[in-house]
Amino acid sequence: AWLPTLEKELTAIEPHKDFRLFLTSEAHSGFASILLQQSLKATFESPPGIKKNLQRTFESWDPDSFDPANPIRSRLLFLLACFHAVMQERR
């Protein structure tokens, strides 16, 4: 199990002031409570359905992200949004 090792390492170090560690997890009773107490927690529930998920994703993105001069980037962002929507729907 790697979580107890991570907990020990994080309590033993003196991190840089700009240090950030992002973890994502489902609710689990075995998750170290000390990590939860020392963390900033955010909860995100995706909307039901692929269409709603895509709409929410595109509404949150800046229109400048889709640069007409760079169609490959726009296609990749669309693919990423579709992949994310499908993954959210399947969980």
Side-chain angles (χ1 to χ4, degrees), residues 42-82:
T43 305
F44 177 78
E45 280 296 322
S46 60
I50 293 175
K51 182 178 178 180
K52 291 282 188 192
N53 197 311
L54 283 170
Q55 287 175 334
R56 183 170 168 171
T57 299
F58 290 133
E59 287 171 359
S60 69
W61 284 353
D62 184 17
D64 295 333
S65 299
F66 296 94
D67 183 11
N70 192 350
I72 293 175
R73 175 183 163 83
S74 298
R75 289 178 185 167
L76 286 173
L77 285 173
F78 178 75
L79 178 65
L80 179 64
C82 289

Side-chain angles (χ1 to χ4, degrees), residues 1 9-10 15 17 27 29 32-33 35-36 39 44-45 47-48 58 61 63 68 72 74 83:
E9 290 292 327
L10 289 176
K17 66 178 180 77
S29 60
S33 61
L35 283 177
L36 287 175
S39 301
F44 177 78
E45 280 296 322
F58 290 133
W61 284 353
I72 293 175
S74 298
F83 178 74

Side-chain angles (χ1 to χ4, degrees), residues 17-28:
K17 66 178 180 77
D18 294 332
F19 174 75
R20 302 291 183 268
L21 175 64
F22 293 88
L23 295 175
T24 182
S25 172
E26 292 184 3
H28 190 276

